[in-house]
Amino acid sequence: METYKAIESRKSIRDFKAQPIRKETIIKIINAGLQAPSNNHMREWEFVIVQDQATRVKIIDKVQKNYKKKDIETWLDSWNSTDPIQRESYLEAVPRQYTMLLTAGCLILPFFRQPGELLKPKSLSSLNSFASIWCCIENILIAASADGIYGVTRIPFPAEIIHIKEFFNPPTDYEIACYLALGYPADGAERTKQYPFKTEDKIHWNTW
């Protein structure tokens, strides 16, 4: 698939077919991720692929399973969210957080080496390793879309991070970036409505 077409076709899907992704395809997609720029040129990224369903259930055990619409609306109100498209997107996406991780054809846990405390950076450059793993993740999402595989990310809450680290026992200086669920979209699965924009409106030439 041509590069721009792959980028434009990338979409967040949360409803998947019960179809696993072949090992060779996963390796190819991860390899695309590893082509991303690395903050220290060392690509200190590691990927745990969770295919075994019993293991996956244990891994996502701390993810909330039953969100209520009222709770999501209260959460959005606390953000002062008034845009109807934004609100609709969250109302559609949040209740699928658990099932999308459970049913995806492949669940990837990307880890990255983080010198110093991630949540207490001394400067903006202290977040370089965090920024570079997300370049890697975006490469993975685009490469997957070229094969008709779509994905979605979810940032784990603190209790989930503790649970994952206790389960896998990674090196102490490695952090998990997100859950990355990849899979073939279920019949009728649709991308959540996106906020409209014009590229020209996002560009500032020589001044803000």
Side-chain angles (χ1 to χ4, degrees):
M1 184 183 291
E2 193 265 336
T3 302
Y4 282 97
K5 187 175 180 181
I7 292 171
E8 291 169 2
S9 69
R10 189 220 61 81
K11 53 188 175 182
S12 296
I13 291 292
R14 296 176 174 84
D15 298 308
F16 300 103
K17 286 182 179 177
Q19 179 179 348
I21 301 174
R22 297 175 59 215
K23 181 178 179 180
E24 295 78 8
T25 302
I26 294 171
I27 293 173
K28 181 176 71 170
I29 291 170
I30 296 292
N31 183 62
L34 289 166
Q35 307 312 308
S38 170
N39 62 295
N40 64 357
H41 314 290
M42 297 298 291
R43 289 177 174 75
E44 293 176 310
W45 310 324
E46 307 292 333
F47 307 88
V48 176
I49 314 298
V50 187
Q51 295 292 73
D52 176 70
Q53 197 67 4
T55 301
R56 190 181 300 193
V57 169
K58 293 177 183 177
I59 293 306
I60 65 174
D61 179 63
K62 300 299 181 182
V63 177
Q64 187 168 334
K65 302 174 181 64
N66 298 305
Y67 282 96
K68 295 180 181 178
K69 181 178 179 181
K70 183 178 179 181
D71 293 335
I72 301 170
E73 289 177 334
T74 299
W75 179 31
L76 291 168
D77 290 342
S78 71
W79 288 6
N80 297 317
S81 170
T82 58
D83 184 83
I85 294 178
Q86 183 187 49
R87 294 180 71 90
E88 180 183 349
S89 296
Y90 276 102
L91 287 167
E92 288 183 6
V94 173
R96 294 184 170 92
Q97 298 291 291
Y98 180 81
T99 57
M100 71 187 189
L101 301 178
L102 181 66
T103 63
C106 174
L107 180 62
I108 302 173
L109 304 179
F111 287 83
F112 63 100
R113 184 172 175 270
Q114 171 61 38
E117 293 187 64
L118 176 62
L119 300 182
K120 294 181 180 179
K122 295 180 179 179
S123 65
L124 190 60
S125 63
S126 299
L127 297 173
N128 282 348
S129 57
F130 181 64
S132 69
I133 187 64
W134 280 97
C135 293
C136 170
I137 291 166
E138 182 66 5
N139 268 23
I140 289 172
L141 290 169
I142 293 170
S145 71
D147 282 331
I149 297 168
Y150 300 101
V152 64
T153 61
R154 181 182 186 281
I155 306 295
F157 288 121
E160 298 167 32
I161 294 173
I162 292 171
H163 176 65
I164 290 169
K165 286 184 174 181
E166 288 177 346
F167 192 94
F168 289 113
N169 193 31
T172 56
D173 57 349
Y174 272 75
E175 297 288 344
I176 180 171
C178 65
Y179 303 93
L180 176 54
L182 298 178
Y184 298 96
D187 295 337
E190 295 183 1
R191 183 184 192 183
T192 303
K193 188 176 181 180
Q194 302 295 294
Y195 189 84
F197 67 90
K198 292 183 179 179
T199 301
E200 293 83 355
D201 294 340
K202 298 289 187 179
I203 299 173
H204 307 272
W205 301 101
N206 299 317
T207 186
W208 185 272

